[in-house]
Amino acid sequence: MDDTRARSPEYRLAQDALRGLREDLIQDAFAYRPLPPVATDGPLSRRLPARLRTRAAYLPHATVAGAALIALYGGYAGNSSRVGLPALLTGLLCAVPVLATLVRPVGAFWLSMAVTPVVSVLDGAWGDWPWTPGAFICHLAVLIVVAIRTRPRTAAWMWALTLCYGFLAEVLFGGGRYADNSTPMLVLSALALLAVAVRHTRREAEQEVTAQQTVTAHERSRRTLLEERTTIARELHDVVAHHMSVVAIQAEAAPYRVENPPPELERAFATIRENAVAALTELRRVLGVVRAEDYEAPDAPQPTLADLDALLANVRDAGLAVEKVVTGAVRELPQGVELSAYRIVQEALSNSLRHAPGASARVEIGYVLGGLGLRVVNGPPPEPSLVKPSPGAGHGITGMRERVSMLSGEMTAGATDEGGYEVVVFLPVAAVGGDDA
């Protein structure tokens, strides 16, 4: 064990290299790995008719088959006899490894290495060494296809073994008597494998960028959601704290408004005040943690639907032609509902300004028996070229849905048939005295 630890860095590097060779080209070398059909949703394939699009998925298979036919012809025509069984057998031997890349890519490489000397023996003339024309085409095609189907490290090992085979063939059997074509094989294969490796690297980089963009978008959406929840919690804190303060003050002042109140009434109001103060303290303790250190509670009351006219005036000044339509009997709603409705209309109009410059908008408010209905719709932008991409697109919708979900409401948002966009919301409101009915 001490001797292993004392091994030099070169030894460990060689050991790692041999381990990589075993993993890439020896382990499960003849495993069955059929080439799957390619996706047909690319910009070019989408333009093809449906029948041709289905067949286009097998274009790589057809390309490999074409390369096998070229290797078959090269092996047959390159044989010195050019007739008879040896020439045909040579062509078949050159085509088989190329076809094998469709189902057993790594095994096809070893087949090509084994076929190369056999084809040279069958040729008999020993003109081209160590690759006959058919073997040259076969091995080059196999290297390219296998490199495409595997990873760059596997391609490097295949090229290194090809280099070793060419060197040994020259040293042991060349003797200077044959035309050496190892150099053309090594140069062409190196260029082809380098192009394939660059393609692999670029694709992996694109996938990594896409994955990172997906994670970034998810984190941005999650952060927006958390920020919206924090804003809602702050607003609810202010709303509920105001009401609880009013309850505590009224409970403290109520006994003084009654002449000679009974002790039971005084105790009841005292209990109400104590509970209100305790609830207010607990509320501030729990919800106060969501406030930033520099957050200050607004001096003015939180906005309600009664403040929409001022909001619409500001939006009109910003260039959005907007009209408001109110249906049903206008009534006072719980402050949380009023605040959320105001914020939803505010965000929807902001989206209209951002994504549909120059368009007109319409705000519809419906007071119905079971709650409040909202609909904010804008028309299509008169000049779509003015619309600029927004990195925060969709996050305002996320905040709206969070508010609607908090109030157990329903919301839909999407494009209209006219090319605009609409947000439809229903916020349920319990009827006063409904529990007693």
Side-chain angles (χ1 to χ4, degrees):
M1 181 177 296
D2 295 339
D3 183 61
T4 304
R5 291 179 179 176
R7 299 288 187 184
S8 64
E10 292 80 3
Y11 176 83
R12 291 195 297 269
L13 183 63
Q15 193 176 33
D16 293 339
L18 292 177
R19 186 183 301 111
L21 173 63
R22 182 173 65 252
E23 292 175 355
D24 291 340
L25 292 179
I26 298 177
Q27 241 175 10
D28 298 327
F30 287 86
Y32 181 68
R33 292 174 53 199
L35 179 65
V38 297
T40 57
D41 55 353
L44 295 179
S45 57
R46 280 199 299 264
R47 300 178 181 178
L48 298 175
R51 182 180 300 179
L52 290 180
R53 194 183 310 152
T54 304
R55 295 178 180 177
Y58 294 93
L59 182 60
H61 303 73
T63 304
V64 173
L69 287 176
I70 296 175
L72 174 65
Y73 176 77
Y76 179 83
N79 189 273
S80 58
S81 63
R82 298 186 181 175
V83 292
L85 185 60
L88 180 60
L89 184 58
T90 298
L92 291 175
L93 287 176
C94 293
V96 167
V98 180
L99 291 176
T101 58
L102 294 174
V103 289
R104 306 182 190 276
V106 178
F109 168 75
W110 292 113
L111 281 177
S112 178
M113 293 290 289
V115 160
T116 298
V118 174
V119 169
S120 299
V121 172
L122 288 177
D123 182 82
W126 304 86
D128 293 311
W129 182 259
W131 280 279
T132 63
F136 191 98
I137 298 172
C138 167
H139 194 66
L140 187 60
V142 167
L143 287 177
I144 295 174
V145 176
V146 176
I148 292 175
R149 297 203 57 194
T150 55
R151 54 183 175 175
R153 192 178 73 175
T154 305
W157 277 119
M158 290 190 301
W159 189 86
L161 291 177
T162 302
L163 171 65
C164 292
Y165 173 80
F167 176 77
L168 292 177
E170 281 295 315
V171 171
L172 298 179
F173 302 101
R177 295 175 297 171
Y178 310 109
D180 173 30
N181 58 4
S182 292
T183 301
M185 166 62 75
L186 294 173
V187 171
L188 288 177
S189 61
L191 292 176
L193 296 181
L194 180 60
V196 173
V198 170
R199 174 178 175 269
H200 275 302
T201 303
R202 180 178 179 181
R203 176 174 293 183
E204 290 175 358
E206 290 176 349
Q207 292 175 349
E208 185 176 352
V209 169
T210 302
Q212 188 62 38
Q213 289 176 345
T214 302
V215 172
T216 302
H218 175 74
E219 290 298 326
R220 187 185 297 118
S221 178
R222 182 173 176 270
R223 184 172 62 251
T224 302
L225 182 61
L226 293 176
E227 290 174 354
E228 187 65 26
R229 288 182 176 179
T230 301
T231 302
I232 294 172
R234 289 171 177 171
E235 293 173 345
L236 285 179
H237 176 274
D238 298 330
V239 171
V240 177
H242 168 72
H243 286 293
M244 294 301 295
S245 298
V246 172
V247 170
I249 293 173
Q250 289 181 344
E252 184 176 8
Y256 300 100
R257 298 182 180 181
V258 180
E259 187 177 354
N260 298 321
E264 295 82 1
L265 183 62
E266 291 184 352
R267 285 196 299 270
F269 278 118
T271 302
I272 293 174
R273 181 184 180 281
E274 291 174 1
N275 290 334
V277 172
L280 185 59
T281 303
E282 187 67 18
L283 177 68
R284 286 173 175 165
R285 185 182 67 82
V286 175
L287 293 183
V289 297
V290 302
R291 295 188 185 275
E293 293 182 359
D294 57 348
Y295 177 79
E296 295 181 1
D299 297 331
Q302 294 288 358
T304 63
L305 291 176
D307 302 309
L308 270 184
D309 291 336
L311 172 64
L312 298 184
N314 291 334
V315 172
R316 291 189 187 102
D317 292 340
L320 179 66
V322 57
E323 62 173 328
K324 183 180 75 169
V325 178
V326 180
T327 58
V330 178
R331 65 184 186 274
E332 186 176 355
L333 301 174
Q335 192 166 356
V337 175
E338 294 260 359
L339 175 60
S340 293
Y342 180 91
R343 295 302 188 198
I344 290 172
V345 174
Q346 184 182 40
E347 181 61 35
L349 293 177
S350 298
N351 288 342
S352 299
L353 281 170
R354 186 183 305 113
H355 302 294
S360 59
R362 179 184 176 92
V363 178
E364 300 176 3
I365 303 173
Y367 291 86
V368 295
L369 185 61
L372 178 70
L374 298 173
R375 181 174 181 262
V376 183
V377 57
N378 63 263
E383 296 186 26
S385 59
L386 296 177
V387 181
K388 299 180 180 180
S390 176
H395 294 163
I397 299 295
T398 302
M400 295 184 204
R401 293 190 187 279
E402 186 67 17
R403 290 182 179 274
V404 173
S405 175
M406 178 190 67
L407 297 173
S408 302
E410 297 178 0
M411 171 180 165
T412 59
T416 62
D417 295 336
E418 294 77 15
Y421 198 86
E422 70 173 357
V423 175
V424 181
V425 174
F426 177 75
L427 302 177
V429 178
V432 178
D435 298 337
D436 302 332

